[in-house]
């Protein structure tokens, strides 16, 4: 698959995620073994101290990890698990999540992600780091009870 085709598939997948649309998430890089997402920081994403809410940082890392894993496993993937470390408060104009594949097998990929905040349009500060396992979905989807 060509990089342009893979990137187009990634953009379609992101556009299908209503929560990603709500946050204004943008796919910047989607190529084999790597994904980069950006989110503009808006007032409604901040917690009471004026920092980007940890849940937004967590979403950003999780989604970037899953995109990175999907870049090598195929786009029919889910996060099996992930861990995040919050390093410092995110204060700035934009979040950037850079995820890479550390290891990929046939059914799973272990990925890592750094979440940075951009201030004054150029200064990047590392605010969180995460690692996760991304797995291919089985062809059977479990019943949801709905």
């Amino acid at each position: 698959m060509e990089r342009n085709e893979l990137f187009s598939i990634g953009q379609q997948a992101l556009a299908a995620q209503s929560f990603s649309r709500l946050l204004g998430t943008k796919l910047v890089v989607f190529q084999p073994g790597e994904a980069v997402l950006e989110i503009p920081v808006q007032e409604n994403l901040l917690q009471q101290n004026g920092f980007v809410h940890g849940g937004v940082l967590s979403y950003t890392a999780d989604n970037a990890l899953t995109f990175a894993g999907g870049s090598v496993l195929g786009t029919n993937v889910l996060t099996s698990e992930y861990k995040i470390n919050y390093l410092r408060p995110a204060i700035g104009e934009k979040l950037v999540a850079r995820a890479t594949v550390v290891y990929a097998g046939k059914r799973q990929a272990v990925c890592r992600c750094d979440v940075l905040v951009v201030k004054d349009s150029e200064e990047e500060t590392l605010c969180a780091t995460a690692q996760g396992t991304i797995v291919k979905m089985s062809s059977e989807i479990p019943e949801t009870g709905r």
Side-chain angles (χ1 to χ4, degrees):
M1 179 180 310
E2 290 184 29
R3 286 182 190 229
N4 288 343
E5 184 181 358
L6 182 63
F7 187 78
S8 178
I9 290 168
Q11 286 182 309
Q12 291 171 16
L14 188 64
Q17 299 174 0
S18 57
F19 189 66
S20 294
R21 290 193 315 269
L22 178 69
L23 296 181
T25 308
K26 180 181 176 188
L27 183 64
V28 179
V29 174
F30 187 53
Q31 60 190 17
E34 180 183 11
V36 178
L37 298 175
E38 293 182 353
I39 298 176
V41 173
Q42 303 165 45
E43 185 179 350
N44 62 343
L45 303 182
L46 306 179
Q47 46 88 292
Q48 71 278 7
N49 296 311
F51 311 143
V52 176
H53 192 282
V56 176
L57 296 175
S58 185
Y59 150 82
T60 307
D62 177 26
N63 221 22
L65 288 165
T66 306
F67 268 85
S71 75
V72 296
L73 295 175
T75 56
N76 198 22
V77 295
L78 294 170
T79 303
S80 173
E81 62 79 30
Y82 79 103
K83 180 206 185 310
I84 188 165
N85 292 94
Y86 300 104
L87 305 174
R88 61 182 53 88
I91 303 169
E93 295 94 37
K94 175 174 61 174
L95 293 177
V96 178
R98 294 190 181 114
T100 57
V101 174
V102 175
Y103 166 82
K106 290 182 179 180
R107 299 205 36 82
Q108 73 176 14
V110 175
C111 305
R112 88 173 119 228
C113 178
D114 287 336
V115 181
L116 305 105
V117 66
V118 178
K119 191 173 182 179
D120 299 326
S121 300
E122 59 185 49
E123 181 187 334
E124 292 185 346
T125 302
L126 181 65
C127 53
T129 190
Q131 179 171 304
T133 305
I134 309 307
V135 297
K136 282 187 175 185
M137 283 178 42
S138 67
S139 57
E140 292 183 26
I141 306 285
E143 292 287 325
T144 62
R146 292 187 214 163

